[in-house]
């Protein structure tokens, strides 16, 4: 089965890694057809193991190889399609739209944080199919009140986010 592993905190705040090296770690851990999408830690691969086994095996392999506390979220090709097909906001050149990949139930934690945050004009959030989506004006991602929540240490093992265009690129790689 085809999967994508979404790594958290790659190539930000001093955690620098080359995707070719990450792919090799995945291959050494027994994954097949391994390739990366962008430099933000999206690894497409095949395996006959289940998601729980994959998460445990890959987090351990990444932590040991790169000497850091690795967090990643594994989604099947079908689940990745749902991220792309459930986007609740219309594309707009002035706005970024992010989808959040994470543990079951994290969408409710994120929505509570979003509702408590001050918002910019056109900043919105919505849950669709248990998936959390966030729309924010370009240039405001890290400055926004909700954007600051994304770096909370207490949530670091709960989720990661990707611009929706990344999901499109990942699906193209899976089908390629």
């Amino acid at each position: 089965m085809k999967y994508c592993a979404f790594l958290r905190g790659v190539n930000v705040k001093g955690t620098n890694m080359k995707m070719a090296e990450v792919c090799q770690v995945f291959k050494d851990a027994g994954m097949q057809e391994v390739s990366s999408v962008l430099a933000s830690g999206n690894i497409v691969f095949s395996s006959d193991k289940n998601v729980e086994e994959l998460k445990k095996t890959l987090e351990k392999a990444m932590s040991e190889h790169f000497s850091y506390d690795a967090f990643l979220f594994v989604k099947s090709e079908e689940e990745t399609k749902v991220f792309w097909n459930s986007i609740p906001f219309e594309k707009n050149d002035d706005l970024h739209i992010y989808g959040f990949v994470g543990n079951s139930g994290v969408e409710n934690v994120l929505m509570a944080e979003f509702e408590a945050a001050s918002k910019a004009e056109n900043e919105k959030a919505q849950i669709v199919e248990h998936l959390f989506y966030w729309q924010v004006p370009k240039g405001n991602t890290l400055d926004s009140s909700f954007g600051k929540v994304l770096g909370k240490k207490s949530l670091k093992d709960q989720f990661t986010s990707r611009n929706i265009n990344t999901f499109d690129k990942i699906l193209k790689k899976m089908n390629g």
Side-chain angles (χ1 to χ4, degrees):
M1 182 176 302
K2 285 189 181 176
Y3 294 98
C4 183
F6 297 88
L7 283 66
R8 165 127 181 147
V10 171
N11 294 335
V12 290
K13 294 184 184 158
T15 307
N16 296 316
M17 50 187 76
K18 295 197 176 350
M19 290 302 108
E21 193 175 351
V22 173
C23 287
Q24 191 57 53
V25 171
F26 272 59
K27 288 174 189 168
D28 293 345
M31 306 305 122
Q32 293 92 41
E33 301 177 86
V34 180
S35 62
S36 64
V37 179
L38 304 173
S40 51
N42 311 292
I43 309 298
V44 172
F45 64 96
S46 295
S47 175
D48 52 9
K49 293 185 171 147
N50 69 39
V51 169
E52 290 76 27
E53 280 182 275
L54 291 169
K55 181 174 170 60
K56 200 179 299 180
T57 299
L58 294 169
E59 282 182 342
K60 184 174 188 286
M62 289 291 294
S63 293
E64 288 173 359
H65 184 85
F66 290 103
S67 303
Y68 85 116
D69 214 359
F71 297 104
L72 56 81
F73 304 93
V74 179
K75 297 294 176 190
S76 69
E77 185 172 6
E78 288 307 309
E79 289 171 309
T80 307
K81 281 180 186 166
V82 172
F83 271 98
W84 179 247
N85 293 327
S86 300
I87 299 164
F89 307 119
E90 285 193 35
K91 282 194 170 190
N92 179 317
D93 289 342
D94 298 328
L95 304 169
H96 282 304
I97 301 172
Y98 295 93
F100 287 69
V101 182
N103 297 341
S104 179
V106 76
E107 69 278 6
N108 300 316
V109 173
L110 290 166
M111 186 55 86
E113 293 279 3
F114 180 79
E115 287 171 352
S118 58
K119 293 159 200 61
E121 189 179 345
N122 292 322
E123 187 174 356
K124 298 179 192 167
Q126 196 169 328
I127 296 172
V128 181
E129 302 281 334
H130 302 288
L131 304 173
F132 184 86
Y133 293 91
W134 177 42
Q135 173 181 284
V136 63
K138 286 186 177 173
N140 284 16
T141 305
L142 298 176
D143 299 335
S144 79
S145 177
F146 180 69
K148 289 179 175 48
V149 167
L150 306 183
K152 269 191 177 179
K153 285 197 174 7
S154 61
L155 295 174
K156 71 178 180 186
D157 61 345
Q158 300 292 307
F159 70 89
T160 188
S161 62
R162 296 293 186 270
N163 186 298
I164 55 157
N165 299 328
T166 302
F167 291 105
D168 185 39
K169 290 178 173 83
I170 289 166
L171 287 169
K172 284 181 174 141
K173 179 77 84 158
M174 286 176 147
N175 293 321

